[in-house]
Amino acid sequence: MDQTIQTILNRRSTRSFRREPLKEEDIRTIVDCALHAPSGMGKQTWKFTVVENREKIQRLAAAIGTELGRDGYDMYQPEVLLIPSNLKESRFGPEDNACAMENIYLAAEALGIGCVWINQLQGICDAPQIRQVLDEFHIPADHVVYGMAALGYKDGGAPAPKERIGKVEYIR
């Protein structure tokens, strides 16, 4: 089977990470793959912020937990948090960032790195406590975060495959 197709079929969300730094080369490869995602009309109105500091990642997690009333929220304690953001006024921002996130997931899987989508920021980017951390991460105030990628080496084996139950209909 083609390696790209195998990577797609093997990818699973990882929610348990080893405490081991990722290789800088691998992080750069993942970001490069994100930058090569499709973008509506080729506008590329996104920004990719890479946070490689566990303490700073956990500060954002704590702010999210407070804002959403989820005590102990920790985003699964990743080694790296890759934050795509996009102009709030970008017509294609949500779709562009979703394409970039998929590239991130597939690149991570191909490199043996675990990844999980963190989606809590979409509606709370401008909450004061959240905005304070985003400002510290240099995420522009005119940007929104539709999702983040929590990255790290998988702790334990890959999760078992899930049955895919989406409806499919072929019209000929």
Side-chain angles (χ1 to χ4, degrees):
M1 181 178 294
D2 175 81
Q3 185 60 46
T4 301
I5 292 172
Q6 194 63 51
T7 299
I8 292 168
L9 296 176
N10 287 341
R11 193 216 59 80
R12 302 284 180 276
S13 293
T14 299
R15 292 178 175 85
S16 181
F17 302 105
R18 294 193 319 247
R19 293 189 78 121
E20 179 181 339
L22 297 178
K23 296 176 190 168
E24 192 65 32
E25 175 183 318
D26 289 345
I27 296 169
R28 290 187 185 281
T29 298
I30 292 168
V31 172
D32 194 35
C33 288
L35 286 165
H36 280 81
S39 173
M41 299 177 69
K43 298 241 185 234
Q44 302 179 54
T45 55
W46 48 39
K47 177 183 179 185
F48 296 94
T49 303
V50 182
V51 184
E52 299 178 76
N53 179 303
R54 290 176 65 87
E55 183 178 303
K56 290 179 181 185
I57 293 168
Q58 289 310 301
R59 281 190 45 246
L60 178 59
I64 292 169
T66 298
E67 184 66 27
L68 298 178
R70 294 176 64 187
D71 290 337
Y73 181 68
D74 65 5
M75 291 191 284
Y76 309 107
Q77 299 192 25
E79 288 296 318
V80 172
L81 187 63
L82 180 47
I83 308 173
S85 61
N86 212 309
L87 286 169
K88 291 176 182 178
E89 296 174 10
S90 174
R91 179 175 161 199
F92 305 109
E95 294 83 359
D96 289 358
N97 281 35
C99 288
M101 290 287 279
E102 183 68 14
N103 277 16
I104 291 165
Y105 290 120
L106 295 177
E109 178 65 29
L111 295 168
I113 295 170
C115 188
V116 66
W117 186 300
I118 304 293
N119 68 0
Q120 283 77 13
L121 279 185
Q122 185 170 341
I124 61 171
C125 287
D126 292 326
Q129 187 175 6
I130 302 297
R131 178 43 55 195
Q132 180 181 354
V133 179
L134 296 180
D135 287 346
E136 291 171 16
F137 291 173
H138 305 129
I139 294 172
D142 64 348
H143 274 218
V144 63
V145 177
Y146 296 105
M148 303 175 286
L151 299 159
Y153 293 114
K154 300 170 188 175
D155 188 15
K162 276 188 167 180
E163 178 186 4
R164 301 300 167 172
I165 59 172
K167 305 273 187 271
V168 177
E169 182 175 350
Y170 296 92
I171 308 295
R172 293 192 168 88

